Structure formats: C-alpha cells, structure tokens
Amino acid sequence: MHEALEAIAKLVCQNEKELSANREAFISSLGLADPYKRMLKEYIEYANKFGRHAGPQGMSKPVPSRKEVEAFMYLTGLFIRVAVSKNS
C-alpha cells in the first residue's frame, strides 16, 4: 500500500523521491490544506513502525490489529483517490 502511494506521489511530483521526501510537495500539488501534511507524516511513521523497515536487531515488529490494517488501507486509498482526481 505504501509503495503504491509512493509511486503516485512520484508521478504527481514528477521526481523519484521517497514518499517521506515528497510529503509536502505531494500535499501541496494536490491542493490540500496543511492538516493533510500532518496526516501524511503520521501515515509514513505508522507504515515505518509496522512493516516498512526491519525492527531492531533480534526483535519482531508489532502486529497491527485488523481494524488498524483496514483503516490504513482506506487512508492509503484516500490519498490515491485525491491524486487520481487531480489529474482528471
């Protein structure tokens, strides 16, 4: 999910930066208000905490609940939907 959002952010921003580096430019390009920058920042931190990167050496990562996974999926879809709508 994170990779899909990162890919569309690269298309919108017309560069090859990671999502965290594209955060502000992506939100600005979509014409969204500043609170969405904070939402995307938290989204990225959450993704990193639960699976984007390896856990500390020898430690397993926490497993999110089913409802958290579903919410993450919907939030990803929200950002992708706004990006797709921008180009329509």
Side-chain angles (χ1 to χ4, degrees):
M1 300 291 309
H2 183 279
E3 289 181 17
L5 184 55
E6 185 171 71
I8 203 159
K10 288 178 181 181
L11 291 172
V12 168
C13 296
Q14 298 179 339
N15 63 38
E16 288 298 315
K17 295 180 182 178
E18 292 183 358
L19 184 58
S20 57
N22 261 342
R23 187 181 81 234
E24 291 195 27
F26 181 55
I27 296 301
S28 294
S29 294
L30 297 180
L32 296 174
D34 282 346
Y36 285 93
K37 287 180 187 175
R38 292 190 299 274
M39 286 175 60
L40 186 55
K41 180 179 185 274
E42 294 292 329
Y43 170 95
I44 293 166
E45 289 175 7
Y46 183 88
N48 290 341
K49 178 180 177 184
F50 285 103
R52 181 92 174 118
H53 299 290
Q57 194 169 20
M59 306 266 311
S60 61
K61 298 200 83 158
V63 177
S65 68
R66 179 182 166 94
K67 64 183 174 185
E68 286 186 22
V69 171
E70 184 174 358
F72 184 80
M73 291 171 58
Y74 278 105
L75 186 54
T76 303
L78 171 75
F79 284 118
I80 290 173
R81 179 72 178 110
V82 172
V84 169
S85 296
K86 175 192 181 290
N87 294 323
S88 297

